[in-house]
């Protein structure tokens, strides 16, 4: 008996809707640039098609969770700034740097790994330091922030990395008025101020996810990250 191979489900993705939704989010972001987050295969909509639609809608940046996703975008010919923010020890930073991908960092050991890749490839790494402002899901804790910033700036003085961004992520941005939002904004503002006082010349500060892009203009800063 031959078992039929008819699929049990079919998904039809309207790429023009993704394009138009990104355009609407970019409008809501005002003067801030828009990073369309296309992690997890574009949230199941197809990594490359979703990224291309987002770029057509005005996304100047793209965001991925892991490096493999960012590299896949480059291999497909997707241009523009791309930030990848999850990594494990021993990550292939050489390929990431030669593919012109921005990298998030959370600790001094990770900064050292990225700097080593920069020395091997001759490509200066663009770094976004993530401050854990209360979510508890990755990022530099406040007690370690000053040392981590100073470590990044020391590497920057050697020409291996450039600290271009400071960022964070909200715990309850989808609950407007939740007290953690204001608390996280205060902590983030302090982290940015301390980085700049230490000598960081930041290109972008970013915190707003999808909900904050729509409901929290005070969190737009230089860049928003709707998914």
């Amino acid at each position: 008996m031959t078992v039929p191979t008819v699929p049990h489900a079919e998904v039809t993705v309207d790429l023009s809707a993704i394009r138009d939704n990104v355009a609407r989010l970019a409008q809501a972001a005002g003067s801030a640039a828009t990073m369309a987050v296309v992690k997890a295969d574009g949230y199941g909509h197809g990594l490359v098609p979703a990224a291309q639609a987002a770029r057509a809608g005005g996304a100047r940046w793209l965001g991925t969770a892991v490096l493999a996703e960012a590299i896949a975008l480059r291999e497909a010919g997707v241009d523009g700034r791309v930030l990848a923010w999850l990594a494990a020890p021993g990550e292939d930073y050489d390929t990431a740097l030669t593919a012109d991908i921005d990298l998030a960092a959370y600790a001094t050991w990770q900064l050292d790994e990225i700097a080593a890749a920069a020395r091997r490839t001759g490509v200066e790494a663009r770094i976004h330091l993530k401050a854990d402002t209360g979510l508890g899901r990755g990022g530099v804790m406040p007690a370690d922030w000053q040392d981590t910033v100073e470590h990044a700036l020391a590497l920057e003085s050697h020409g291996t990395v450039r600290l271009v961004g400071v960022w964070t992520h909200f715990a309850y941005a989808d609950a407007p008025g939740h007290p953690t939002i204001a608390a996280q904004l205060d902590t983030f503002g302090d982290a940015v101020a301390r980085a700049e006082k230490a000598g960081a010349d930041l290109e972008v500060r970013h915190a707003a996810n999808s909900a904050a892009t729509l409901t929290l203009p005070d969190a737009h800063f230089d860049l928003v990250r709707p998914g």
Side-chain angles (χ1 to χ4, degrees):
M1 177 179 177
T2 301
V3 178
T5 57
V6 177
H8 291 91
E10 179 179 292
V11 175
T12 301
V13 178
D14 185 347
L15 295 174
S16 64
I18 294 177
R19 178 201 64 207
D20 294 346
N21 287 341
V22 170
R24 176 64 186 90
L25 287 161
Q27 183 181 35
S31 62
T34 298
M35 173 191 293
V37 178
V38 291
K39 64 182 182 179
D41 193 31
Y43 293 93
H45 296 82
L47 173 67
V48 173
Q52 292 169 331
R55 293 279 287 140
R60 289 160 51 189
W61 292 67
L62 295 170
T64 71
V66 296
L67 280 178
E69 297 167 328
I71 292 166
L73 290 175
R74 291 299 196 226
E75 290 175 344
V78 178
D79 62 1
R81 295 287 284 276
V82 177
L83 171 66
W85 51 73
L86 289 185
E91 202 72 53
D92 183 10
Y93 290 122
D94 293 46
T95 300
L97 294 182
T98 56
D100 196 33
I101 294 166
D102 286 50
L103 300 169
Y106 306 81
T108 56
W109 65 262
Q110 188 181 14
L111 287 167
D112 288 338
E113 286 198 359
I114 295 170
R119 287 189 290 270
R120 287 191 298 269
T121 61
V123 179
E124 183 182 63
R126 294 189 299 269
I127 299 295
H128 300 239
L129 277 186
K130 185 180 182 185
D132 190 327
T133 58
L135 177 62
R137 192 186 72 188
V140 183
M141 299 300 290
D144 300 320
W145 182 251
Q146 194 68 33
D147 287 344
T148 308
V149 167
E150 290 177 359
H151 194 78
L153 293 175
L155 293 171
E156 182 173 274
S157 71
H158 297 138
T160 52
V161 310
R162 182 158 55 95
L163 181 54
V164 299
V166 169
W167 66 296
T168 195
H169 194 72
F170 288 111
Y172 289 104
D174 54 348
H178 196 281
T180 60
I181 296 173
Q184 285 192 261
L185 277 174
D186 285 344
T187 302
F188 183 63
D190 179 66
V192 170
R194 289 169 66 186
E196 293 178 334
K197 184 177 180 180
D201 183 14
L202 301 176
E203 177 186 352
V204 287
R205 303 162 299 153
H206 47 111
N209 57 4
S210 301
T213 298
L214 294 171
T215 66
L216 195 62
D218 286 348
H220 287 175
F221 298 108
D222 307 298
L223 180 67
V224 298
R225 304 188 313 268

